[in-house]
Amino acid sequence: MNKIRNFCIIAHIDHGKSTLADRLIQKCGGVKDREFRNQILDSMDIERERGITIKSNSVTLNYRAQDGEDYQLNLIDTPGHVDFSHEVRRSLMSCEGALLLVDAAQGVEAQTVANLYLALEYDLEILPVINKIDLPSADVDRVQEEIDSDLGLDPFEAILCSAKTGEGVDSLLEGIVQKLPAPEGDIEAPLKALIFDAQYDPYRGVVLLVRVKEGTLRKGQRLRFMHTDKEYTVEETGLLKLQREEANELTTGQVGYLIAGIKTVRDIAIGDTVTDAASPAAEPLPGYKEAKPVVFSSIYPLSTDEYGDLTKALDQFALNDAALTYEKDSSTALGFGFRCGFLGLLHLEVVQERLQREFGLNLLLSAPSVRYLVYLNDGEVKEIDNPAYFPDPAQIDYCEEPFIKASVMMPERYIGTVMDLVRERRGEETTFRYLSPGRVELTSELPLGEVLFDFYDRLKSVTQGYGSFDYDILEYRKSDLVKVDILVNSDSVDALSQLAHRDKARQRALHYCERLADTIPKQQFKIAIQGAIGGTIIARKTITAFRKDVTAKCYGGDISRKRKLLEKQREGKKRMKMVGNVEIPQDAFMAVLKTDSN
Amino acid sequence: MNSLEGKAGLYVHVPFCAKRCPYCDFSVVVGRTDETDRYCQAILEEARNLQWSPPIETVYLGGGTPSLLTPTQVESLVKGLRSQLPIERTARLHLEANPDDVSEDRLRGYAEAGVQFLSLGVQSLQDANLDFLGRRHSAEASRRGLKWATSAGFSTVSADLIFGWEHQSLNSWLEDLKDLLILGVDHISCYQLTFHRETPFGQKLKQGKLGELANAEQRIFLEKTHELLDREGWMAYEVSNFARSSVHRSRHNMKYWNGSPYLGLGPAAHSFRNNERWWNRRAYGDWLQTVEKGGIAIAARETLTPQQRLLERLMLALRTTQGFSVPSLELQYGITLPLADRQRFGEWAKSGYVTWDGERLRPQFRGMAIADALAATIRWPDENLN
């Protein structure tokens, strides 16, 4: 066990995390130079594009240290967004140490700080690493100074390296062995293994990524999953090298994979504790939280004959995404679709983007919503997350919405702007305290509905990236809820309806009207876009009709070009949805995801 | 079937220009006017190398500046073409001319050489506008030219006007139109100024140094033009082409809009026949060398499906007052008009965009003005063949 090191790499975007990971893999003989492919761990296009990690990944490296001993280094990759804080926490819980990467030219930046805060919460041993020393603009002295003053870490501990050239990587590997602690745990104790991720392999079923905290996990062993209360037998286990490498057992301190005849990821829970069925552990590992969907939206195929394809795609997708919930739904405006539940807005965006990209679908989304409680006059209580089912206000006694306790960590200079932001989002009981000189934690109770809509992005914006955010669900509280309808030329488009707090209704409605007015193209007649509560119009935007579009010249040489342009336009029209007389492009429905830009 | 549809038109490009106008993106060569004879020879060589059988009943010399050719050159060129191509004896000959090249004698010369339709590149009768457009001639030269032209013996004298830049005065425009009527022209073409990216005007537009006339105002220019000429008893037979009476319509240009075949000779010229379209290399030198070596200077071609051809017919017909006949197109392309479109045409008629009697659809001004949008919504070209 003392030859094992479990660690992750945390860094600001583009400070070289992925390159360093690749370099470590290469150095430990995981891959021949020839086969070296950049950024082996980041596997999705979307992840690359947004510069974030969504799925956890892990790799085991064999390293022969200078002391002549062989060490097992487990590099665990971590997702970086609050929607997936579940996965982030599980991954961090699986490590004992973290390499905190800082770009030698850029220095300590926002995410460096934010990620450090997170790692400290899990008591990880931090090893600072100054990367990109090969750059002409590298200023190691300055960065060391920043590591001291901004991060409060010992700058002389920092290892200097260049993942690109390979310089210093040997020292880094030594540093991992010497400075990061080995895992602890009782090898004789009953098995306790943490599931920190799960993947679906079409040939083998679900592959679980686990960290063994106590005891030993063996092939053939009958396991008990403590939170989902199910039992499975270990078909195969082993280490996660670049390919899976089978082994007879995984012992305390090790990270590896587990295959146990599990059909879909929906049968297990990330963060669950796995123990022996015959002699189980007394209690599961602490900190388990069920990942429950909090934001709901309906997804429709743009063309009704793609409904079957959407069904298949969701089923396929769900094999690998346990958090996504979905059930059949329909809309007057958009036809048949699915009501889906997501962990958060980023989760929603990633899912719809992947569905469109990987399955070639064209999708429309309804306005996202949280789940509300509606108390009717006759005593009945309804759970409503779909505006279409919001009861007639005359029947409603009162409503409640879910509140969260939000915790924002940031450098103290941002207290003012963050308090403004929180107030704007109807925050209550806002307080803050100092975690250490210069670093504050602000807590506030906010409606979940206000946090859903780009709160995280706004927070990053007002704290220039330095703020980090997490929340816990509190209870439901009374709320003055109204239903805002969006009408296009007097036709209510049910998919665009949303539930909002009365105080925010007009602002939301106006925002939607503006987004629609921007994305709906001019047509042969004027288009009135209105937001309404009941019969009262609270916002309005008009799109004027176009009256001339033909260029006054069309002779022999113009015809081909003109036809091609027309063919493109006609293709574009196929991606429009007719709502009444008005052609609404797919973009308009997606625009509802983009929120108020204050 | 309209007798004009079946027979072909011949377009001959004459790329020479004394200078290039700042908005022009045609295939043009500045200077080298000492090569005109050589060029005419090359045109004949090109004609000789092509296989073209459909009988030709219009010949259009366009450019560039065709009036840089002398009447003698024009006469001998046309004679040479007649010997290479199936040009009908009574074929109508069109020529474009610039006001700065023409004299009374020269114009008479063209008429005697057989030119029946003369088109003068007036563009504007305001010197300030001509200045802006970078034209070489003055308004006075245009007026003179028109006067000579109308007494030179042409069947039809036409003037081109340009509109569409920011701050252009509607009143001056209408005054220009009235002047043209007084000067006795038989035909008017209005060109909308297009700011092509690679031209000086295109660059200036990008840099914000000049602007386009707003869409709503362009509409007004067109609308007022149609109204004025309509009041004077003229016919608008296409959204931007007007004739004093039907006999003065440009038979050649109508071929582009009614699906007739056409052959183009010279750099960048386009040709169309059956389901094939092709076009020549654009650069003068390139074209010249290729043809003189005995080659065919085709740059590219496309083969069109019946659906694509139908789409072209519709998009072009929607710009013309003649419109289209549904039974005729159904027969020609083998695709039936879907019910949804029938209903659509009915709605258009109700909105005043077209007249529709169940068989023939004729655009009105309001419909011609948004011809592209209407063309985009017709489902017909998406249908399968019968």
Side-chain angles (χ1 to χ4, degrees):
Chain A
M1 212 188 312
N2 59 356
K3 300 286 194 294
I4 299 175
R5 300 290 182 271
N6 297 317
F7 67 100
C8 57
I9 305 176
I10 53 183
H12 188 85
I13 297 169
D14 290 340
H15 277 207
K17 178 173 139 180
S18 297
T19 315
L20 182 61
D22 291 347
R23 189 53 85 173
L24 290 174
I25 293 170
Q26 194 201 22
K27 273 278 178 176
C28 294
V31 132
K32 305 203 188 353
D33 272 335
R34 229 178 325 123
E35 293 169 351
F36 188 70
R37 229 180 40 217
N38 279 338
Q39 301 179 9
I40 294 166
L41 286 185
D42 271 353
S43 50
M44 283 194 274
D45 290 338
I46 292 172
E47 289 177 327
R48 265 190 279 264
E49 282 164 24
R50 289 176 182 247
I52 54 173
T53 308
I54 297 171
K55 297 290 289 172
S56 295
N57 275 298
S58 184
V59 68
T60 297
L61 306 171
N62 283 335
Y63 173 61
R64 172 156 295 174
Q66 280 166 14
D67 63 8
E69 302 284 342
D70 286 332
Y71 288 85
Q72 200 174 75
L73 306 182
N74 294 315
L75 168 55
I76 296 174
D77 204 16
T78 54
H81 190 279
V82 67
D83 277 13
F84 305 103
S85 65
H86 208 58
E87 268 110 334
V88 176
R89 287 165 185 280
R90 294 316 123 225
S91 300
L92 291 177
M93 254 185 82
S94 306
C95 304
E96 278 77 42
L99 302 182
L100 182 68
L101 209 57
V102 183
D103 182 316
Q106 303 285 1
V108 169
E109 291 195 87
Q111 286 297 90
T112 319
V113 176
N115 284 322
L116 173 63
Y117 291 170
L118 213 52
L120 289 176
E121 264 194 67
Y122 284 88
D123 291 324
L124 299 185
E125 185 66 31
I126 312 287
L127 177 59
V129 179
I130 302 179
N131 189 23
K132 304 197 191 181
I133 54 176
D134 59 295
L135 288 179
S137 48
D139 185 350
V140 173
D141 288 335
R142 193 196 89 228
V143 174
Q144 280 176 325
E145 163 63 38
E146 285 174 5
I147 289 177
D148 185 12
S149 57
D150 293 353
L151 303 178
L153 299 172
D154 185 346
F156 300 106
E157 290 270 300
I159 309 242
L160 283 67
C161 76
S162 162
K164 192 159 105 176
T165 65
E167 184 185 345
V169 175
D170 290 326
S171 310
L172 177 55
L173 284 162
E174 281 301 304
I176 291 171
V177 164
Q178 288 167 22
K179 304 269 173 63
L180 298 184
E184 288 172 356
D186 187 351
I187 219 174
E188 303 297 330
L191 171 66
K192 272 190 198 178
L194 173 69
I195 302 177
F196 66 89
D197 198 10
Q199 290 159 4
Y200 179 75
D201 179 326
Y203 301 106
R204 305 302 308 279
V206 175
V207 178
L208 299 176
L209 274 59
V210 295
R211 157 69 203 277
V212 181
K213 290 272 189 176
E214 308 266 348
T216 303
L217 189 144
R218 291 188 181 78
K219 183 167 172 173
Q221 186 177 14
R222 184 92 182 140
L223 298 175
R224 186 172 156 69
F225 286 54
M226 297 182 82
H227 280 102
T228 54
D229 214 24
K230 293 199 177 126
E231 287 190 7
Y232 295 95
T233 305
V234 181
E235 271 177 26
E236 186 184 317
T237 185
L239 298 174
L240 293 154
K241 304 260 177 103
L242 283 179
Q243 308 293 334
R244 293 196 286 266
E245 186 182 277
E246 192 172 351
N248 274 329
E249 61 180 35
L250 285 179
T251 63
T252 308
Q254 283 191 304
V255 169
Y257 72 92
L258 165 61
I259 298 176
I262 300 163
K263 295 267 165 43
T264 100
V265 299
R266 302 165 95 71
D267 292 331
I268 58 101
I270 308 277
D272 201 352
T273 303
V274 170
T275 190
D276 186 274
S279 32
E283 283 184 2
L285 292 160
Y288 171 76
K289 261 198 302 199
E290 214 188 303
K292 279 204 333 196
V294 293
V295 59
F296 302 86
S297 170
S298 294
I299 298 186
Y300 305 89
L302 178 64
S303 144
T304 45
D305 32 274
E306 281 195 334
Y307 179 74
D309 295 332
L310 174 59
T311 312
K312 281 201 209 113
L314 277 169
D315 288 341
Q316 180 103 343
F317 195 91
L319 291 174
N320 220 347
D321 183 339
L324 173 69
T325 62
Y326 61 104
E327 55 186 28
K328 292 206 176 125
D329 190 27
S330 79
S331 139
T332 318
L334 304 182
F336 288 104
F338 290 90
R339 188 79 187 156
C340 302
F342 307 91
L343 296 176
L345 210 59
L346 177 67
H347 188 204
L348 186 161
E349 283 178 24
V350 167
V351 169
Q352 61 87 6
E353 227 172 291
R354 288 186 62 192
L355 283 175
Q356 297 202 83
R357 236 189 267 208
E358 290 171 27
F359 297 90
L361 299 170
N362 285 309
L363 301 176
L364 307 172
L365 259 64
S366 70
S369 169
V370 294
R371 184 163 278 170
Y372 298 94
L373 290 175
V374 179
Y375 292 80
L376 300 178
N377 290 327
D378 64 7
E380 202 186 334
V381 182
K382 284 183 185 257
E383 274 191 354
I384 305 281
D385 63 61
N386 189 338
Y389 301 127
F390 192 65
D392 177 5
Q395 298 177 346
I396 298 177
D397 186 4
Y398 66 95
C399 298
E400 288 182 345
E401 61 175 324
F403 265 69
I404 55 151
K405 181 157 183 179
S407 136
V408 176
M409 285 184 283
M410 63 194 139
E412 66 177 316
R413 61 183 181 272
Y414 298 109
I415 292 180
T417 47
V418 172
M419 285 184 67
D420 284 342
L421 175 63
V422 157
R423 188 176 15 244
E424 180 197 298
R425 300 295 172 109
R426 296 192 284 129
E428 301 166 3
E429 306 294 323
T430 308
T431 58
F432 65 90
R433 64 184 178 118
Y434 280 84
L435 298 166
S436 65
R439 186 170 141 231
V440 259
E441 182 192 26
L442 181 144
T443 49
S444 179
E445 294 175 1
L446 293 151
L448 178 60
E450 294 294 336
V451 154
L452 267 194
F453 289 87
D454 83 356
F455 178 80
Y456 183 68
D457 289 339
R458 284 277 299 148
L459 177 69
K460 286 293 185 190
S461 174
V462 305
T463 62
Q464 297 174 305
Y466 285 92
S468 75
F469 163 64
D470 201 357
Y471 66 85
D472 287 312
I473 310 261
L474 292 172
E475 72 287 335
Y476 275 77
R477 295 186 190 170
K478 210 157 170 182
S479 176
D480 189 1
L481 207 62
V482 294
K483 179 169 168 229
V484 177
D485 289 314
I486 303 291
L487 301 101
V488 174
N489 272 358
S490 304
D491 282 328
S492 178
V493 185
D494 61 353
L496 295 174
S497 292
Q498 48 182 313
L499 299 170
H501 190 273
R502 189 180 296 274
D503 295 343
K504 292 299 196 89
R506 182 161 187 283
Q507 182 189 52
R508 283 278 179 80
L510 190 58
H511 171 73
Y512 267 45
C513 290
E514 279 168 3
R515 296 296 324 171
L516 288 171
D518 282 341
T519 43
I520 296 178
K522 285 187 188 247
Q523 286 162 58
Q524 287 111 289
F525 39 80
K526 189 167 69 174
I527 302 173
I529 301 178
Q530 296 166 315
I533 301 179
T536 314
I537 306 290
I538 57 172
R540 184 195 167 101
K541 275 270 170 196
T542 307
I543 304 174
T544 54
F546 62 53
R547 312 225 301 142
K548 172 194 165 299
D549 65 1
V550 61
T551 55
K553 175 167 96 77
C554 191
Y555 302 109
D558 306 304
I559 296 175
S560 178
R561 185 182 56 231
K562 192 178 177 65
R563 188 202 73 245
K564 286 181 187 154
L565 195 59
L566 193 54
E567 280 170 336
K568 243 173 76 175
Q569 263 182 294
R570 291 169 67 86
E571 267 311 302
K573 279 193 187 285
K574 289 184 190 155
R575 293 238 262 311
M576 301 259 200
K577 199 74 186 181
M578 273 308 256
V579 175
N581 260 347
V582 180
E583 283 176 330
I584 303 188
Q586 187 188 13
D587 288 347
F589 288 95
M590 303 312 266
V592 301
L593 289 178
K594 308 284 181 264
T595 65
D596 322 42
S597 34
N598 301 348
Chain B
M1 203 196 270
N2 191 318
S3 67
L4 286 175
E5 271 183 287
K7 296 202 180 146
L10 171 67
Y11 174 82
V12 180
H13 192 60
V14 182
F16 306 98
C17 277
K19 80 171 221 258
R20 188 191 275 277
C21 298
Y23 52 84
C24 172
D25 83 326
F26 288 139
S27 170
V28 148
V29 58
V30 176
R32 291 176 80 161
T33 41
D34 51 331
E35 288 185 12
T36 47
D37 277 332
R38 178 178 171 198
Y39 180 76
C40 292
Q41 282 310 305
I43 287 285
L44 296 177
E45 178 69 38
E46 187 179 22
R48 196 182 355 261
N49 292 341
L50 290 166
Q51 315 283 17
W52 180 270
S53 48
I56 293 168
E57 63 168 7
T58 62
V59 177
Y60 192 108
L61 300 180
T65 315
S67 50
L68 284 176
L69 297 178
T70 64
T72 313
Q73 281 176 311
V74 167
E75 191 169 17
S76 95
L77 175 62
V78 173
K79 189 154 163 230
L81 287 169
R82 279 183 187 280
S83 73
Q84 299 299 333
L85 297 166
I87 300 178
E88 293 192 333
R89 198 179 50 79
T90 53
R92 272 173 86 74
L93 182 57
H94 300 231
L95 180 88
E96 284 177 354
N98 258 10
D100 29 336
D101 298 324
V102 299
S103 65
E104 203 165 359
D105 281 339
R106 197 152 170 121
L107 285 170
R108 284 232 183 84
Y110 288 134
E112 274 156 27
V115 174
Q116 286 134 326
F117 190 114
L118 182 90
S119 174
L120 207 62
V122 170
Q123 319 310 357
S124 173
L125 290 173
Q126 316 282 328
D127 281 320
N129 290 344
L130 290 171
D131 223 14
F132 167 75
L133 293 171
R135 300 289 288 177
R136 274 186 299 139
H137 56 95
S138 64
E140 187 48 44
S142 292
R143 287 175 200 279
R144 264 201 320 262
L146 285 171
K147 252 182 49 202
W148 292 328
T150 48
S151 43
F154 299 108
S155 309
T156 303
V157 173
S158 173
D160 290 346
L161 289 181
I162 294 187
F163 73 96
W165 63 92
E166 210 178 18
H167 308 312
Q168 187 173 8
S169 154
L170 177 62
N171 280 336
S172 313
W173 171 264
L174 295 173
E175 287 305 312
D176 281 0
L177 281 175
K178 288 188 200 141
D179 273 352
L180 288 178
L181 296 180
I182 292 170
L183 287 162
V185 304
D186 310 297
H187 182 282
I188 296 173
S189 294
C190 302
Y191 291 116
Q192 180 182 327
L193 188 57
T194 318
F195 296 82
H196 300 285
R197 243 178 322 157
E198 312 81 20
T199 62
F201 266 24
Q203 290 298 307
K204 284 206 174 130
L205 181 73
K206 206 169 117 180
Q207 291 157 3
K209 292 191 182 148
L210 48 69
E212 265 181 302
L213 194 61
N215 211 275
E217 263 115 78
Q218 285 191 29
R219 152 99 184 196
I220 294 174
F221 265 72
L222 260 188
E223 193 164 16
K224 294 289 177 202
T225 306
H226 277 251
E227 274 172 22
L228 190 157
L229 293 173
D230 185 57
R231 263 201 310 271
E232 297 291 326
W234 280 49
M235 72 180 294
Y237 62 104
E238 194 253 11
V239 65
S240 48
N241 279 281
F242 309 84
R244 190 152 62 79
S245 67
S246 69
V247 67
H248 291 296
R249 292 176 299 174
S250 166
R251 309 265 266 278
H252 180 83
N253 284 342
M254 285 170 73
K255 289 186 184 301
Y256 296 131
W257 309 321
N258 66 16
S260 299
Y262 47 89
L263 174 66
L265 300 174
H270 281 235
S271 309
F272 172 73
R273 181 162 124 212
N274 290 334
N275 60 346
E276 283 251 312
R277 180 174 287 111
W278 63 94
W279 47 93
N280 287 345
R281 296 178 191 223
R282 202 184 138 86
Y284 171 73
D286 192 14
W287 176 90
L288 191 62
Q289 271 180 25
T290 312
V291 170
E292 283 180 340
K293 287 203 194 108
I296 296 180
I298 294 178
R301 51 172 89 242
E302 56 179 8
T303 306
L304 304 169
T305 62
Q307 286 88 347
Q308 284 175 307
R309 290 166 69 204
L310 176 60
L311 179 60
E312 286 186 353
R313 292 295 297 275
L314 294 171
M315 90 189 182
L316 295 167
L318 284 167
R319 301 167 59 96
T320 66
T321 48
Q322 204 170 16
F324 57 85
S325 149
V326 168
S328 179
L329 291 176
E330 280 180 327
L331 188 63
Q332 194 166 2
Y333 300 108
I335 307 168
T336 310
L337 180 74
L339 185 59
D341 283 338
R342 262 187 201 281
Q343 289 166 342
R344 199 186 312 275
F345 294 166
E347 278 154 31
W348 289 353
K350 280 208 199 95
S351 307
Y353 296 136
V354 305
T355 61
W356 165 241
D357 63 7
E359 286 199 345
R360 182 141 212 119
L361 182 139
R362 286 184 203 277
Q364 305 295 288
F365 172 74
R366 294 176 68 193
M368 286 195 287
I370 55 168
D372 289 349
L374 297 182
T377 59
I378 304 181
R379 299 255 180 88
W380 200 359
D382 290 335
E383 297 284 302
N384 291 322
L385 298 176
N386 293 342

